[in-house]
């Protein structure tokens, strides 16, 4: 950087960051324990994992912390989240391969299952992989900037 001072977190910004982190965890719990929708439960389940990872930012939510440090840690957290999701999807696939019987092609459900592309061709898997690579590139780029 060309001699400009690093931006630091103000007391109000630190309070907002702390409230966001805690609020994310509370929202995740509300979504998990609501009785209305299975989709909201699924979103809450993913959000609980993300909120648990975002809790790593709580020690940085204090006045005087460099914004660059908070962004770097947030990128690392996001990268870990994507990688864990990829590993989970692969583990679920391998569980199905090794421990479940294959679908019956004589049934409609079996035909649908057999027609589904493998997990590594699903758009979500590729989006997670690209996101993880982008987060890793962001961390590397921020680490090289002085």
């Amino acid at each position: 950087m060309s001699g400009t001072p690093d931006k630091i977190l103000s007391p109000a910004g630190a309070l907002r960051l702390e409230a966001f982190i805690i609020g994310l965890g509370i929202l995740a719990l509300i979504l998990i324990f609501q009785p209305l929708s299975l989709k909201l439960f699924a979103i809450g389940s993913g959000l609980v994992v993300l909120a648990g990872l975002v809790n790593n930012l709580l020690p940085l939510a204090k006045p005087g912390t460099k914004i660059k440090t908070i962004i770097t840690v947030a990128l690392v957290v996001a990268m870990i989240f994507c990688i864990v999701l990829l590993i989970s999807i692969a583990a679920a696939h391998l569980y199905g391969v090794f421990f479940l019987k294959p679908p019956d092609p004589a049934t409609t459900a079996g035909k649908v299952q057999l027609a589904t592309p493998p997990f590594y061709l699903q758009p979500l898997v590729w989006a997670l992989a690209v996101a993880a690579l982008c987060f890793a590139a962001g961390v590397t780029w921020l680490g090289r900037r002085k």
Side-chain angles (χ1 to χ4, degrees):
M1 294 181 9
S2 58
T4 60
D6 287 336
K7 293 183 180 181
I8 60 171
L9 196 60
S10 67
L15 187 61
R16 283 192 302 269
L17 178 61
E18 188 174 345
F20 170 76
I21 293 169
I22 294 169
L24 186 66
I26 291 171
L27 174 66
L29 290 174
I30 289 171
L31 290 176
I32 282 181
F33 291 111
Q34 57 78 32
L36 305 173
S37 169
L38 210 50
K39 287 182 183 179
L40 290 177
F41 171 78
I43 291 168
S45 297
L47 211 52
V48 161
V49 176
L50 182 62
L53 288 170
V54 170
N55 271 330
N56 289 310
L57 293 175
L58 270 177
L60 300 175
K62 58 184 176 190
T65 304
K66 292 181 182 178
I67 301 290
K68 179 181 169 185
T69 303
I70 296 170
I71 292 172
T72 302
V73 173
L75 287 173
V76 169
V77 166
M79 180 182 63
I80 290 170
F81 183 69
C82 291
I83 291 170
V84 167
L85 280 174
L86 288 170
I87 291 170
S88 300
I89 291 169
H93 171 75
L94 291 174
Y95 176 83
V97 167
F98 290 113
F99 297 113
L100 301 177
K101 64 180 184 175
D104 183 10
T107 64
T108 304
K111 290 176 187 173
V112 170
Q113 289 175 356
L114 290 171
T116 303
F119 82 98
Y120 51 84
L121 294 179
Q122 299 293 333
L124 173 67
V125 172
W126 285 101
L128 287 171
V130 168
L133 287 174
C134 289
F135 293 138
V139 169
T140 303
W141 181 72
L142 282 174
R144 290 186 179 165
R145 281 183 60 197
K146 299 284 179 196

